[in-house]
Amino acid sequence: MDTTRAILHVDMDAFFASVEQGDDPSLIGKPVIVGGLGRRGVVATCSYEARRFGVRSAMPTAQARQLCPDAVYLTPRMSRYAEVSAQVFAVFGEITPEVEGLSLDEAFLDVSGSRKLFGTPREMALRVKQRILEVTGLRCSVGISHNKWLAKLATELGKPDGCFEIDHGNRERLLDPLPVGRLWTVGKVGQAKLEGAGYRTVGDLRRAELDTLARVIGNQAAHLQALARGEDLRPVVARREERSISAETTFDIDLQALPEVRAWLLKLCERVTERVRRAGLKGRVVTIKLRTPPFHTETRQCTLGIESDATDIIHASAVRLLETWWREQSRPRLRLLGVSASGFDADTAPGDLFAAAADGRKDRVTDTLNQRFGSGTVRRARSLDT
Ligand SMILES: [Mg+2]
């Protein structure tokens, strides 16, 4: 029996845009761009039809509009994507319990222990693709290899609708021509250093003398050379706590007044905790994300004494984080604000609606009304109206 590890990396193709095309068949075959539509919005995902015009994710939406003015522009429907994501992850769970989610539409699967049941890694990859197509109608790309680094690279090389394998036979040929910046531990600075010393490709790094390389890049040299040889020992970590539920908003005009920022923070906390409760979870970690102009992003985080799904509790912590940050700035200005809850207890399960603690009950009634009559029906008086 083959005892080497077998890792799959799965990534949905143009996920948000594909969900939209699946839900509205009139969009099929058209350039579809999902993202922020305000003045400072960025593209979250675009369909392959839009990519032909040069549109890419993380590009300012304004730029996308210049490249592809006739595309269909949509704002993200995160709760719908979360629903489809849950279906996709349920398929992963059919193959192995060793699933490490990276985002709504991307995960590593350690399928080493599933060979007896489902066959070779390639057979399992094809099965995942087939099942996801059956259940969601959507296509994904799967990379197959014996570690995470090569599995993820295989996905990228096979996209879209890929099923590509990197093994000992083809890895040098595939790795050697890649630019050094493709190694995930090499940032812009490291890349400039390496290129300055004549190491342009992964092959250059692989063939380098370790001592010479260490003079350029220091104690990272051995690690880099291992990556260049296609080695990576990181395990697939199937931890539920890695999940987080978040909401964020980009402002058309930078916010400079604390009361206004507080109002937005409450609104975001309501959005996050509603989703936390709907998922039947309780979070222990609260994180806020702050972006100051032009593009500096910071996060601040705290851990609650006891896990919670209550808006008031999550909000109180988020406010403390915000106010501390605010005091530390000489001239506070915010372009983006985000909140997330994470650190979910794997054992938390949806409970009896009416067994909820008194302070959770109010939230649940609010959620029920909002679900029935549309989001925003019931809102705390302090949060902004938009
Ligand atoms: Mg994707």
Side-chain angles (χ1 to χ4, degrees):
M1 199 190 100
D2 189 357
T3 52
T4 57
R5 288 196 299 161
I7 311 291
L8 304 184
H9 174 262
V10 186
D11 186 19
M12 301 300 292
D13 295 334
F15 183 51
F16 297 172
S18 304
V19 172
E20 297 298 344
Q21 288 175 322
D23 287 355
D24 178 357
S26 77
L27 300 176
I28 293 170
K30 289 186 187 160
V32 173
I33 294 170
V34 181
L37 303 186
R39 211 156 54 86
R40 279 170 176 166
V42 293
V43 174
T45 315
C46 56
S47 68
Y48 283 89
E49 294 85 354
R51 292 178 200 203
R52 257 175 244 137
F53 293 85
V55 180
R56 295 284 177 269
S57 41
M59 173 184 277
T61 306
Q63 194 184 343
R65 284 191 197 275
Q66 284 175 353
L67 291 168
C68 194
D70 297 329
V72 179
Y73 288 84
L74 301 170
T75 46
R77 294 184 298 146
M78 293 311 296
S79 55
R80 174 65 183 135
Y81 309 147
E83 246 171 58
V84 181
S85 169
Q87 295 177 313
V88 168
F89 275 74
V91 169
F92 300 157
E94 294 171 4
I95 305 279
T96 173
E98 303 301 321
V99 177
E100 178 179 343
L102 303 174
S103 68
L104 279 180
D105 76 314
E106 192 184 344
F108 284 113
L109 281 62
D110 187 329
V111 294
S112 313
S114 309
R115 290 181 174 100
K116 252 188 208 146
L117 280 171
F118 300 112
T120 65
R122 172 167 292 274
E123 284 165 342
M124 289 189 263
L126 290 169
R127 188 185 182 99
V128 166
K129 283 174 67 70
Q130 180 60 33
R131 286 286 296 141
I132 287 179
L133 185 62
E134 281 167 16
V135 174
T136 68
L138 303 177
R139 293 182 194 283
C140 65
S141 293
V142 184
I144 311 161
S145 196
H146 49 275
N147 64 41
K148 286 166 121 179
W149 150 227
L150 295 181
K152 188 170 164 80
L153 180 64
T155 299
E156 286 165 28
L157 296 176
K159 259 185 177 297
D161 200 15
C163 184
F164 189 67
E165 182 164 3
I166 299 182
D167 58 21
H168 300 287
N170 63 1
R171 70 175 171 183
E172 257 173 38
R173 178 169 61 77
L174 293 166
L175 283 172
D176 278 3
L178 298 177
V180 291
R182 274 298 280 276
L183 300 178
W184 81 85
T185 52
V186 177
K188 284 266 181 294
V189 178
Q191 184 176 353
K193 263 195 209 167
L194 288 167
E195 288 179 352
Y199 302 109
R200 303 198 160 273
T201 65
V202 170
D204 294 339
L205 285 181
R206 184 173 64 77
R207 288 182 294 262
E209 285 292 336
L210 185 58
D211 293 348
T212 322
L213 188 58
R215 258 174 262 138
V216 178
I217 202 90
N219 54 13
Q220 260 204 75
H223 177 60
L224 275 187
Q225 216 162 31
L227 292 178
R229 285 192 300 262
E231 294 164 14
D232 175 16
L233 295 173
R234 291 173 303 159
V236 170
V237 183
R239 267 190 319 181
R240 188 137 176 217
E241 304 93 281
E242 284 191 340
R243 283 181 51 187
S244 74
I245 292 180
S246 64
E248 62 179 47
T249 187
T250 304
F251 306 113
D252 285 334
I253 296 166
D254 299 331
L255 297 193
Q256 303 185 44
L258 185 56
E260 206 182 346
V261 177
R262 276 208 209 97
W264 275 103
L265 188 69
L266 175 56
K267 198 164 126 82
L268 293 168
C269 286
E270 287 177 339
R271 233 184 263 166
V272 166
T273 49
E274 187 193 339
R275 282 165 51 207
V276 169
R277 290 189 291 272
R278 210 187 303 157
L281 296 169
K282 287 179 185 230
R284 196 183 277 277
V285 178
V286 179
T287 307
I288 62 168
K289 179 172 163 187
L290 308 132
R291 181 171 299 151
T292 57
F295 217 77
H296 174 75
T297 308
E298 276 183 68
T299 58
R300 293 289 169 95
Q301 194 172 78
C302 70
T303 304
L304 303 174
I306 183 163
E307 67 241 12
S308 177
D309 61 359
T311 305
D312 290 345
I313 290 175
I314 307 270
H315 176 243
S317 300
V319 167
R320 271 199 302 279
L321 292 170
L322 169 70
E323 289 181 344
T324 307
W325 179 85
W326 197 268
R327 277 196 300 275
E328 292 167 8
Q329 311 302 307
S330 54
R331 207 169 132 251
R333 291 172 71 185
L334 272 186
R335 171 163 292 188
L336 175 149
L337 179 66
V339 180
S340 79
S342 58
F344 299 121
D345 185 341
D347 298 328
T348 318
D352 178 356
L353 217 73
F354 298 101
D359 108 318
R361 203 170 288 164
K362 182 178 68 195
D363 290 330
R364 287 200 174 77
V365 171
T366 306
D367 293 349
T368 308
L369 288 171
N370 282 336
Q371 276 157 25
R372 191 166 308 164
F373 301 110
S375 192
T377 306
V378 180
R379 223 178 248 166
R380 281 168 178 70
R382 278 167 292 154
S383 79
L384 277 186
D385 198 41
T386 51

